[in-house]
Amino acid sequence: LKQWCADQGELLPSVEKLILHLLTEKEQKNPDPGCGWAEPEKYGSALLSLVEDNAYAQMQVLWAIQKYCDTLGFPKLNDEYVVQSMFRAMYKYDLAEAGAFDEWKEDESKENSRGKMKAVIQTIDWFNWLEADDDEDDEEYEEEEE
């Protein structure tokens, strides 16, 4: 699938457009904070083939979630912001790796500014967890080297 998508080149929409369409058409105004649509047996395996080892494509996934949550007014469900829950799910399903989250956070491009500040504010806890998890991984790596 990955090779087929690469062969199609410009004929296929961007990963961002695919995810945003999926969210706006399937989820509409009822977001699934756990992103059941990203499970491997649903759309997850196909999406993973498009974003695996590609930080920019992974950022497109995050931009789509940011823009989708912006259209909903950045809701909160079950005492957690939907954008944060969805980001956690993207990490769980390997559709965005730690580096892509960092690059998304640092991105200041005009075309991806809609809803960005609100998304960053609502994902502070997620980024704190991600940083702590990354620090733990670094410590484990250092112990293995010794």
Side-chain angles (χ1 to χ4, degrees):
L1 179 63
K2 187 175 191 172
Q3 184 57 50
W4 181 84
C5 290
D7 292 344
Q8 301 311 303
E10 298 298 316
L11 295 176
L12 291 178
S14 68
V15 170
E16 180 181 347
K17 286 182 181 176
L18 287 170
I19 301 286
L20 192 55
H21 179 77
L22 175 73
L23 292 171
T24 55
E25 295 301 315
K26 298 284 184 197
E27 304 286 311
Q28 297 177 347
K29 300 288 181 193
N30 301 304
D32 172 10
C35 299
W37 52 268
E39 293 175 8
E41 60 274 5
K42 293 190 179 164
Y43 299 106
S45 292
L47 292 171
L48 185 58
S49 73
L50 296 174
V51 304
E52 196 169 35
D53 300 323
N54 184 336
Y56 184 74
Q58 293 173 23
M59 289 172 64
Q60 289 184 53
V61 171
L62 301 176
W63 288 322
I65 290 171
Q66 164 194 325
K67 292 170 183 174
Y68 171 66
C69 289
D70 183 64
T71 64
L72 299 177
F74 286 96
K76 198 175 196 180
L77 292 174
N78 304 321
D79 292 327
E80 184 175 33
Y81 292 111
V82 170
V83 66
Q84 180 164 279
S85 298
M86 293 179 96
F87 273 24
R88 188 173 49 252
M90 294 305 96
Y91 187 73
K92 172 184 171 184
Y93 294 122
D94 297 322
L95 295 178
E97 297 170 359
F101 282 102
D102 291 337
E103 288 186 47
W104 170 86
K105 190 176 178 184
E106 299 302 318
D107 175 57
E108 295 180 358
S109 63
K110 187 174 173 82
E111 66 268 18
N112 296 309
S113 63
R114 188 179 97 212
K116 179 68 177 274
M117 286 309 296
K118 195 144 192 160
V120 168
I121 290 167
Q122 290 187 0
T123 56
I124 287 174
D125 290 342
W126 163 249
F127 279 98
N128 288 341
W129 178 87
L130 193 61
E131 187 175 314
D133 187 57
D134 195 36
D135 289 346
E136 286 176 21
D137 289 347
D138 288 347
E139 288 171 13
E140 288 174 14
Y141 178 74
E142 288 170 7
E143 287 173 9
E144 288 174 6
E145 284 189 333
E146 293 174 1

